[in-house]
Structure formats: C-alpha cells, structure tokens
Amino acid sequence: MEKNGLRQNTGKAVLLAFLTALALKGFFFDFMIAEGRSMLPVINPGTVLVVNRAAYGIRIPGAGSYLWRWALPKAGDIVIFYTPGGDTVVKRCIEVTNTQKFFALGDNLLESYDSRSYGLVPADHIIGKVIGIK
C-alpha cells in the first residue's frame, strides 16, 4: 500500500472515530464535573458524573426540547437539567406532576438552590440522568 493510500485511510478512520464520539456525547452519554455543595453528601464538588443523555428520550442538542421522549424521571432519580434561568444543575427528582414537570431538590437542603426557589421544571429541560458517580 502506498503512503498516500495509508494516509487517506488513517484520515478517514480518525474522522469516523471523531464523528462517532461526537454523536455518542451529544445524544447518548456524557461526563460532567459537579460544582457546588447542593448534592452533599452524595455528590462532592469536583466529582465526575456519568450522564445517560438518552434515559428519557432523544434530545435535540441545543434545541431545548426532545425529538422523541419515552420516559419521565422517577422520584429519586438524580438528573442534570437546565433551570428556568438557564443554569445547568444536578438535583434529585422528588415528584413528577401530570403536566410533565418535576420538582427537584438538592440533597443538601441548607445550601441548595432548587425547585423551592424556581418552581416546577419542565421535562424538556432535562439533559440526562446520572448513572455513575466517580
């Protein structure tokens, strides 16, 4: 095989690997680093969170809604979502209402800015479910 052909094949493989990783991160799995103290003692600041972006459906990246939703969070799920103010936060789902909104609280109630302040959160604001804490 010529050097040129090998270079082209390698370039294609690297591009395919990059696009696959981008699709996996955008639609299925992500890693996030927790900030703040609202989820103590379960999640410490600096903890790496493994997030299943497809736990509740397929979300259109950047669009603020789901293309296809097949579930809502259950009480006790730890979810990543956008607050009404646009901040990305991690909180525990306490209750889901029949209006496809949920009430979320931080485990550290004394230091958590959560649904007690900003009210129910639309299910379309969910980014994903925390499935691992490292």
Side-chain angles (χ1 to χ4, degrees):
M1 183 181 274
E2 293 180 30
K3 287 183 182 179
N4 230 4
L6 181 61
R7 210 174 283 158
Q8 283 180 337
N9 287 340
T10 302
K12 287 178 185 177
V14 169
L15 180 61
L16 180 62
F18 175 75
L19 292 175
T20 300
L22 192 60
L24 286 173
K25 184 180 181 335
F27 292 101
F28 299 103
F29 294 99
D30 202 353
F31 298 93
M32 297 184 174
I33 298 175
E35 297 178 11
R37 302 171 44 86
S38 71
M39 288 299 291
L40 287 172
V42 176
I43 300 173
N44 294 307
T47 301
V48 176
L49 306 174
V50 181
V51 181
N52 179 352
R53 287 182 169 264
Y56 307 114
I58 300 296
R59 184 176 167 79
I60 303 168
S65 63
Y66 279 84
L67 178 63
W68 185 20
R69 185 176 332 139
W70 46 74
L72 290 170
K74 294 179 178 76
D77 285 358
I78 298 175
V79 294
I80 307 285
F81 61 92
Y82 297 112
T83 66
D87 295 322
T88 303
V89 297
V90 57
K91 305 287 182 210
R92 188 176 304 276
C93 175
I94 301 301
E95 179 182 2
V96 178
T97 71
N98 59 3
T99 60
Q100 294 195 358
K101 294 184 177 183
F102 66 99
F103 191 83
L105 292 177
D107 287 354
N108 183 358
L109 294 176
L110 296 177
E111 294 189 37
S112 181
Y113 177 66
D114 49 37
S115 285
R116 294 173 296 170
S117 300
Y118 46 74
L120 295 173
V121 180
D124 275 349
H125 288 197
I126 297 173
I127 297 168
K129 177 181 178 181
V130 175
I131 58 170
I133 300 171
K134 303 288 178 193

